[in-house]
Amino acid sequence: MQKDFHYYAVMVLAHLAGFSPAEARVIAYSSQFVDDSSDSGQVKVGDYYFDTVRTAHLGLQFFTWNVHKKIYFPFHFVPSLRWDGQYSPYATTADCTLSRLPVERALAERGELRLYQLGVALHAYADTWAHEGFSGRRHLENDVRALRRFVDGEWRRCRRAWDVVLDLFRARVGHLQAYAYPDLPYERWRYVDFRGRTFERDNPARFCHAARAVFDWLCAARGTRRVSGKWASLEKQLRALFALVPAGGRHTLAERCAAWVETFPEAFADNALGPHYDPHQWRYEALRIAGSGDLQSFLRTDLVRFQRAALRQRFLVLERMM
């Protein structure tokens, strides 16, 4: 999933669940920032050094087990840890037990990290629908063959020049060989796995299922009840947004994000920082305070609270994988 779900959809769902604009933004920003927190260096605050927690990775180190273990498994491909005859225990499955555990822990939290933990947990949880059948390790189980997209009433081949590079490096990590298709809300696509089995994915339907589950968790966290009739009406709007794609083309990510703001302006109206997500905001604010040497203020920044929440989730997932 991309920013249109992890930030904009989560913001709307948090708003509808009854969270205040400030609370909804912390949840939604934490959810999306999981894909943007790629820092790995130390931050110097006076005489103190703060070790950052990376939840996203860009670069050729995606081949390494260290990245698989510390980044992909805890935040993007939470494993099911059970063999069901269809997928490996390392592969994620929609709504798998381990993906629910960080959300449950966030709901039980009563301290300053609660909303940050909830956002981080909901990112990994929602991804179990988009990433189902794929794992966070480099393995044959992630092999994708005969990739097709359903366009204008027919299945079309998706072979690209990039496939040669992927095949050369045997880069079977996550859904790399399926490109971004698992994360695009409007796609209907299919593939054949290394055992010769065909899997078909209807992303608008999957994203709607994920949104409903996320909404249920947010209502539980806020102490409100989801009204079935209200959801039926809401689901029509969500599906229309997820399926939004022009005939013969694709909407850009920016256009898809803008559509959420246009459809649910009330969810973004009270945001003093503007309706759109800025991946640098938390980082720049924390670095500004770090430069002043004020350690106590630095430790209270959104960035530090997010990274503490992410560290808790990493430990929680990895402990159960041992």
Side-chain angles (χ1 to χ4, degrees):
M1 293 178 172
Q2 297 181 330
K3 181 171 57 177
D4 51 339
F5 188 100
H6 288 310
Y7 181 78
Y8 292 85
V10 170
M11 176 78 90
V12 168
L13 295 172
H15 167 75
L16 294 175
F19 285 95
S20 71
E23 292 171 332
R25 189 172 188 281
V26 169
I27 295 169
Y29 199 104
S30 296
S31 171
Q32 172 54 33
F33 198 56
V34 170
D35 276 344
D36 297 313
S37 180
S38 57
D39 296 327
S40 59
Q42 292 181 321
V43 177
K44 188 175 186 298
V45 190
D47 295 328
Y48 177 83
Y49 288 89
F50 177 79
D51 291 312
T52 55
V53 180
R54 178 186 285 187
T55 59
H57 180 77
L58 299 174
L60 291 178
Q61 287 184 338
F62 72 83
F63 282 110
T64 66
W65 176 249
N66 192 52
V67 169
H68 303 168
K69 180 178 67 174
K70 294 183 177 180
I71 297 176
Y72 295 155
F73 283 128
F75 304 111
H76 308 280
F77 298 88
V78 180
S80 68
L81 297 184
R82 67 186 185 89
W83 174 256
D84 60 5
Q86 185 174 32
Y87 300 122
S88 151
Y90 278 94
T92 193
T93 57
D95 193 36
C96 62
T97 300
L98 185 54
S99 72
R100 296 169 64 94
L101 186 56
V103 189
E104 293 169 352
R105 288 290 179 89
L107 265 61
E109 172 66 33
R110 290 294 178 265
E112 63 184 6
L113 300 186
R114 185 173 193 259
L115 298 179
Y116 302 88
Q117 285 184 233
L118 186 57
V120 173
L122 288 177
H123 178 110
Y125 180 70
D127 268 354
T128 64
W129 272 267
H131 298 169
E132 183 165 49
F134 295 99
S135 78
R137 62 176 178 169
R138 184 184 181 190
H139 195 273
L140 187 63
E141 64 200 8
N142 294 317
D143 194 27
V144 170
R145 307 170 187 177
L147 185 63
R148 300 286 190 274
R149 294 176 60 224
F150 193 74
V151 181
D152 295 333
E154 63 179 1
W155 291 101
R156 296 185 182 178
R157 191 167 179 262
C158 302
R159 187 76 176 174
R160 303 177 184 176
W162 179 239
D163 290 332
V164 177
V165 178
L166 295 179
D167 290 342
L168 179 64
F169 287 97
R170 306 183 76 82
R172 301 182 180 100
V173 180
H175 60 73
L176 188 64
Q177 288 189 310
Y179 309 114
Y181 294 124
D183 291 330
L184 299 176
Y186 51 82
E187 289 287 0
R188 181 179 170 190
W189 58 289
R190 72 184 186 192
Y191 70 96
V192 176
D193 75 352
F194 73 102
R195 290 194 178 95
R197 302 174 300 179
T198 298
F199 292 90
E200 186 174 323
R201 300 285 191 248
D202 180 346
N203 285 5
R206 280 184 168 268
F207 280 47
C208 278
H209 289 315
R212 180 168 185 166
V214 167
F215 187 48
D216 283 345
W217 283 115
L218 287 166
C219 287
R222 187 65 181 83
T224 55
R225 294 181 60 187
R226 177 174 59 79
V227 180
S228 298
K230 182 179 179 180
W231 174 258
S233 174
L234 175 61
E235 187 175 20
K236 293 179 181 179
Q237 293 177 291
L238 298 187
R239 188 174 181 90
L241 285 167
F242 291 139
L244 185 64
V245 59
R250 303 181 184 182
H251 276 295
T252 66
L253 178 57
E255 289 172 328
R256 300 201 313 267
C257 294
W260 282 92
V261 178
E262 293 168 4
T263 305
F264 297 98
E266 67 281 358
F268 302 89
D270 293 331
N271 189 346
L273 299 172
H276 293 293
Y277 171 80
D278 177 0
H280 305 295
Q281 184 188 340
W282 280 5
R283 182 183 292 112
Y284 286 171
E285 177 63 14
L287 291 178
R288 182 187 66 79
I289 294 175
S292 71
D294 186 346
L295 177 60
Q296 294 306 313
S297 294
F298 174 76
L299 294 177
R300 290 193 296 269
T301 62
D302 291 311
L303 179 70
V304 171
R305 289 174 175 172
F306 165 85
Q307 297 201 337
R308 288 174 59 199
L311 194 60
R312 289 186 180 186
Q313 177 153 322
R314 175 183 290 168
F315 289 155
L316 185 64
V317 172
L318 294 185
E319 183 180 32
R320 278 145 185 83
M321 290 182 63
M322 294 177 63

